[in-house]
Amino acid sequence: MSIPSAREKFRKFLAQKGLRVTSQRLAIFDAAFARKEHFTAEQLLDYARAIDDSVSRATVYRTLPIMTGSALLREIDIGSGEKFYMPTLEQNTQIAQVVCMDCDRIFEISAPFMEWYGSTVSSKLGLSPVSQRLQVSARCNTLRDTGICPRRDKN
Amino acid sequence: MSIPSAREKFRKFLAQKGLRVTSQRLAIFDAAFARKEHFTAEQLLDYARAIDDSVSRATVYRTLPIMTGSALLREIDIGSGEKFYMPTLEQNTQIAQVVCMDCDRIFEISAPFMEWYGSTVSSKLGLSPVSQRLQVSARCNTLRDTGICPRRDKN
DNA sequence: CTGCCTGCAAACTCTTTGCACGAAT
DNA sequence: ATTCGTGCAAAGAGTTTGCAGGCAG
């Protein structure tokens, strides 16, 4: 399992930062890393409470920036009011999102040219790129043709 | 001036859609098209009230989707809580944003390859692209080197 | 023990909505 | 005369924060 070792990693990470290792933080971390799809803060609260029901909404919101700030979690804003999160499983920072407007699913695609692009346009403006995000909104062909989205409710 | 003719265009646009031409809608439109930089809904309310002080926040929020839905205005979400708007001055839909994290300014850059990219990755997933957004977050070199951002407070 | 971390609930920000009045067609 | 559009204020959604008590170090 990857969870126990990742948990140890998180424990060390907290100690290293001078942050306390609490049962709530561990539960939130475990909950996040057990997920294979994107999730919201509210969903993370549910998942974490299933592990440790003392976890509160406030602690989830206070723990999320700790995890995103150190790249344990990636934050994805598709402009829908709420933010999505996902465990960082690879080191590739050049990832684009394709958001299906029909099934609301977020697909992640490697986009290696983004880094080059960011540097190119930023330097023209006298700026240094920090991060790039590329998002494609799209509609499902199968749903359009058959009325059924093959991915709907799969998760 | 481009405002009077654009205003006529908006008047016709409303009539065409079966929407009523009200003083508030015209004030909001004029306010938006007098701007050269990006603005928020709240700023637009201020600008519109300077023209017609009967304009309310609710009407601004109800008018914005009318204008964005017909590409009179572009909506830009840089993931900062509030959305930004900008009059559509050109027909190019392939525009990327470079957001300066120091001066909070949004620069717009043509990104013609985005369309190709959207089609390529979408088709692999059985999806049809609807729109793309590419955003680069960057920091100001001059600010870093001299402590002064050359663009700060210019607007 | 010290003070960081917690849950709770209230506050906050941005946006949307129900309602009765008012104005465009 | 019809409706559609409006202002107001309240409601909503998502997130943040002040506080008093609790637990990690």
Side-chain angles (χ1 to χ4, degrees):
Chain A
M1 297 301 98
S2 66
I3 293 169
S5 67
R7 186 195 251 250
E8 271 322 297
K9 201 173 142 191
F10 185 54
R11 199 184 273 277
K12 276 183 191 165
F13 164 77
L14 288 173
Q16 214 165 24
K17 290 241 174 185
L19 298 168
R20 294 187 177 169
V21 178
T22 66
S23 63
Q24 291 90 346
R25 282 174 176 167
L26 289 174
I28 292 167
F29 177 86
D30 287 352
F33 274 77
R35 294 288 130 188
K36 292 182 172 47
E37 296 283 330
H38 300 81
F39 52 84
T40 64
E42 198 64 26
Q43 290 174 324
L44 182 56
L45 172 61
D46 289 342
Y47 305 150
R49 277 188 165 155
I51 297 172
D52 179 342
D53 67 357
S54 79
V55 173
S56 72
R57 181 171 287 105
T59 297
V60 167
Y61 277 105
R62 284 190 272 235
T63 303
L64 279 170
I66 295 175
M67 298 173 80
T68 55
S70 24
L72 289 168
L73 235 52
R74 278 183 305 128
E75 184 182 84
I76 297 148
D77 183 343
I78 61 169
S80 69
E82 59 194 349
K83 286 172 182 162
F84 291 84
Y85 298 89
M86 186 164 194
T88 303
L89 299 175
E90 74 300 285
Q91 289 313 309
N92 187 357
T93 56
Q94 303 307 314
I95 296 176
Q97 283 89 39
V98 182
V99 181
C100 178
M101 301 165 76
D102 295 316
C103 70
D104 294 323
R105 190 165 290 222
I106 304 170
F107 303 95
E108 307 229 337
I109 311 271
S110 176
F113 66 88
M114 269 169 55
E115 188 147 31
W116 162 81
Y117 186 80
S119 311
T120 306
V121 298
S122 296
S123 62
K124 283 183 188 165
L125 295 164
L127 303 169
S128 300
V130 174
S131 66
Q132 284 89 230
R133 48 203 280 246
L134 173 57
Q135 283 162 9
V136 181
S137 295
R139 291 208 170 274
C140 177
N141 295 337
T142 309
L143 177 66
R144 183 194 57 212
D145 298 339
T146 68
I148 300 165
C149 173
R151 285 176 276 252
R152 189 104 188 116
D153 301 326
K154 265 207 185 160
N155 197 37
Chain B
M1 298 299 98
S2 65
I3 294 168
S5 68
R7 187 196 250 250
E8 272 321 299
K9 200 173 143 192
F10 185 53
R11 200 183 272 276
K12 275 183 191 165
F13 164 77
L14 288 174
Q16 213 166 24
K17 290 240 173 186
L19 298 169
R20 292 182 180 172
V21 178
T22 66
S23 63
Q24 291 90 346
R25 282 174 177 168
L26 289 174
I28 292 167
F29 177 86
D30 286 353
F33 274 77
R35 294 289 130 188
K36 290 179 174 49
E37 295 282 333
H38 300 81
F39 51 85
T40 63
E42 198 64 25
Q43 290 174 322
L44 182 56
L45 172 62
D46 289 341
Y47 305 150
R49 276 189 166 156
I51 298 172
D52 178 342
D53 66 359
S54 79
V55 173
S56 72
R57 181 170 289 106
T59 297
V60 167
Y61 277 106
R62 283 189 273 235
T63 304
L64 278 170
I66 296 175
M67 298 172 81
T68 55
S70 24
L72 288 167
L73 235 51
R74 277 183 305 126
E75 186 182 81
I76 297 148
D77 184 342
I78 60 169
S80 69
E82 59 196 349
K83 285 172 181 163
F84 291 84
Y85 298 89
M86 186 166 197
T88 304
L89 299 174
E90 73 301 285
Q91 290 314 307
N92 187 357
T93 55
Q94 302 308 314
I95 297 176
Q97 283 90 39
V98 182
V99 182
C100 179
M101 299 164 77
D102 295 317
C103 71
D104 293 323
R105 190 164 291 219
I106 304 170
F107 303 95
E108 306 230 337
I109 310 272
S110 177
F113 66 86
M114 267 169 55
E115 188 147 31
W116 163 80
Y117 187 80
S119 310
T120 306
V121 297
S122 296
S123 63
K124 283 182 189 167
L125 295 164
L127 304 169
S128 299
V130 174
S131 66
Q132 285 89 228
R133 47 202 282 244
L134 173 57
Q135 284 162 9
V136 181
S137 295
R139 292 207 169 273
C140 177
N141 295 337
T142 309
L143 177 66
R144 184 194 55 212
D145 298 340
T146 69
I148 300 165
C149 174
R151 286 176 275 254
R152 189 102 188 117
D153 301 326
K154 265 208 181 159
N155 195 37

